[in-house]
Amino acid sequence: MRMSISRTAAKILSAIFVLCLALPLLPAAAQVQKMSARYEEKKRQTNDIAASIVVSGLTCTCARFAEDIRNVVNDLRPDGIRVLPVLGVGGLQNLNDVLFLKGIDMGVVDEDNLTLLKKRDPQLYANVEQSVQYITKLYNSEFHVLARNDIKTFDDLRGKKVSFNLRDSQTEVTADILFGMLKLDVQRLNYDNDEAIKKLRNGEISAMIILSGAPQAAVVKVGKDDGIHLLSLDERSLPNHDLHPMFAKYLPIELTHQQYPALIPEGTTVSTVGNRSLLVTYAWPENSPRYNRIAKFVREFFGKIDQFHDGSRHPKWEEINLAAEMPGWTRFKPAADWLAEHQSVTLKPAFDQFVQNHAPAPASGQKGISDKDREALFVKFQQFLQSQITSPTAAR
C-alpha cells in the first residue's frame, strides 16, 4: 500500500515538475505565434499592393518611363499600390513574359508584337489578343542606325557587320522587317547597346541599331569625335528603293539637333521611322485579385497623368495619348471605363475636332483617315497645344 502511494506521489511530483518547467515557455510560445501572424500579415500586404512592369535595359526609354511611373504612382500604405520595374530583354520577350512569366503583371511592348508572334507560331499564339490587352499608348520609338563615317547610306551596309541588338529584342524584330523591306543582306550580330557602341567606335562593326524613344541614353553618349553618325532613312538618301510600303507600316519621324546635339547639326534633322510603344497587361479574370490590383494601378496612373508633364520627367511624356486606339489590340476594361468617365481629361473631344478640321481627304474606297494619318495629326495637335501655351495671346 505504501509502495502504491509512493509511486502515485512520485508521478504527481513528476507532473508538477514538468509543468513548472513548461510554464515559463508558454508566454514565449505565444509571442512566437503572434510574431508569425504579424509576419504573414506583412507578407500578404506587401504582395497585395505590388504591380510589376517588365521593360528592356536601363538605357531604354521604357525603363525611364517605368521609373517615372513608380515615382508618381507609388503608395506604400497597406491599401496603396507599388510599382516594381523589372529589367527584361524587350520586344517579343517582354510580351512572352507578360503571357507566361509568374510575377509579371504588365510590360512595355511595341504595337506590332501581336501580329509578329502569331506569324511565328499561329497555334501557340492563336488567342494572344485576348490574353494580353493594352492599357495605353506611351510614346513613339524611333529607329536609330548609328554607322561609321565611311558608311553614307543604308546601301553601303551590304555585307557589313551590323549589330541588331539582343535576340528577340524589339530592335532586332523591327530591324529584321525593315532590312527585309530594303532587301539588305548584312552580317547580323547581337550585342547589347554598350558593347555595340564600343565595337562601333573601334571599327569592329560598321553599324548598330537601336529602336527606342529619342533621346536614347546610349546614343546621347556618342561624341562628335567618335567617327559615328546617324543614317537617314528617306527617299533622298535611298532613291533606288520604294519606301512607300515602309511609311505605310511605320510612322515617318525626324530626329533633331535638340535630341542629339553631338550627332545632328543645328537646323537639320535625320529622317527615320518609328513604332508605337504600349503599356500592356495580362487579361486577368474580372474581379480576381490581380485584375483588381491592375485596375487600381490604372486609376492611380491615369488620375495623375498631369504630373508626368513636368520638366523632371522624360520629354517623351509629351507623346502619351491615353485615348489612342490600337488596331488589333483589346483595351483593358478598367482603362476603357476610366476613359469613358473622364473624356474631358484626355483631350479626346478637342483632338476629334482637330481631326475634322485638318484631316486629308480619304483615298478612293477608304473609309475615314488611316491610323498613320491620325497619328501624324496627333503630333500636329500636340504642336498646336504647345503653341497655344507659349504664345503671348494664350498667356493673357
Side-chain angles (χ1 to χ4, degrees), residues 10 61 63 72-73 78 99-100 113 128 151 176 193 221 227 237 241 260 276 278 289 292 294 349 351 355 371 396:
T61 302
V72 171
V73 173
L99 268 170
F100 302 118
N113 285 174
V128 65
I151 303 293
D176 186 51
N193 290 336
K221 295 178 182 178
S237 61
H241 294 269
Y260 302 114
R276 289 178 288 193
L278 314 179
N292 291 336
I294 304 307
F351 177 55
V355 170
D371 295 326
R396 291 175 186 170

Side-chain angles (χ1 to χ4, degrees), residues 44-291:
R44 183 193 63 78
Q45 289 178 356
T46 301
N47 284 276
D48 281 354
I49 68 171
S52 59
I53 303 177
V54 64
V55 297
S56 304
L58 283 175
T59 62
C60 176
T61 302
C62 55
R64 176 62 190 277
F65 262 59
E67 182 181 13
D68 284 346
I69 293 172
R70 181 200 67 188
N71 292 341
V72 171
V73 173
N74 259 17
D75 179 357
L76 300 185
R77 291 177 296 180
D79 60 344
I81 192 78
R82 180 187 179 193
V83 177
L84 294 172
V86 177
L87 287 183
V89 174
L92 296 183
Q93 187 59 55
N94 278 5
L95 187 52
N96 272 308
D97 288 345
V98 173
L99 268 170
F100 302 118
L101 188 59
K102 289 182 179 180
I104 297 298
D105 297 299
M106 297 174 282
V108 178
V109 305
D110 275 22
E111 62 176 313
D112 58 1
N113 285 174
L114 286 184
T115 55
L116 290 171
L117 279 183
K118 292 188 77 167
K119 189 179 295 184
R120 283 193 174 190
D121 193 330
Q123 291 184 326
L124 180 61
Y125 299 105
N127 299 311
V128 65
E129 66 273 9
Q130 300 302 322
S131 300
V132 178
Q133 300 174 350
Y134 81 102
I135 293 172
T136 185
K137 176 228 169 172
L138 291 176
Y139 57 88
N140 297 327
S141 292
E142 287 84 4
F143 191 69
H144 301 71
V145 180
L146 288 161
R148 302 281 302 170
N149 283 342
D150 59 303
I151 303 293
K152 305 301 181 184
T153 74
F154 278 78
D155 283 333
D156 295 336
L157 291 174
R158 293 185 190 278
K160 299 292 197 304
K161 293 179 179 179
V162 179
S163 173
F164 277 50
N165 205 272
L166 300 177
R167 294 188 185 279
D168 273 352
S169 66
Q170 189 60 50
T171 295
E172 184 188 52
V173 169
T174 303
D176 186 51
I177 294 172
L178 292 175
F179 274 57
M181 287 181 165
L182 294 171
K183 296 180 173 57
L184 284 179
D185 292 324
V186 299
Q187 297 182 50
R188 291 176 52 163
L189 302 167
N190 295 100
Y191 299 119
D192 62 65
N193 290 336
D194 291 334
E195 189 175 8
I197 286 178
K198 178 182 177 182
K199 290 181 178 297
L200 188 60
R201 283 188 176 120
N202 63 27
E204 289 184 57
I205 61 176
S206 295
M208 62 175 289
I209 307 168
I210 302 177
L211 182 74
S212 186
Q216 205 280 341
V219 181
V220 170
K221 295 178 182 178
V222 177
K224 292 182 178 180
D225 299 326
D226 287 333
I228 298 170
H229 69 126
L230 285 161
L231 291 182
S232 288
L233 184 55
D234 55 20
E235 294 175 339
R236 186 175 61 180
S237 61
L238 295 167
N240 299 321
H241 294 269
D242 179 11
L243 302 183
H244 291 94
M246 187 180 297
F247 294 140
K249 184 176 179 64
Y250 295 98
L251 302 170
I253 289 176
E254 300 289 329
L255 299 174
T256 67
H257 168 77
Q258 287 70 30
Q259 293 166 332
Y260 302 114
L263 293 171
I264 303 175
E266 191 169 1
T268 66
T269 60
V270 172
S271 299
T272 188
V273 294
N275 214 351
R276 289 178 288 193
S277 291
L278 314 179
L279 180 63
V280 306
T281 184
Y282 186 77
W284 308 105
E286 194 165 346
N287 292 322
S288 66
R290 294 185 85 166
Y291 176 95

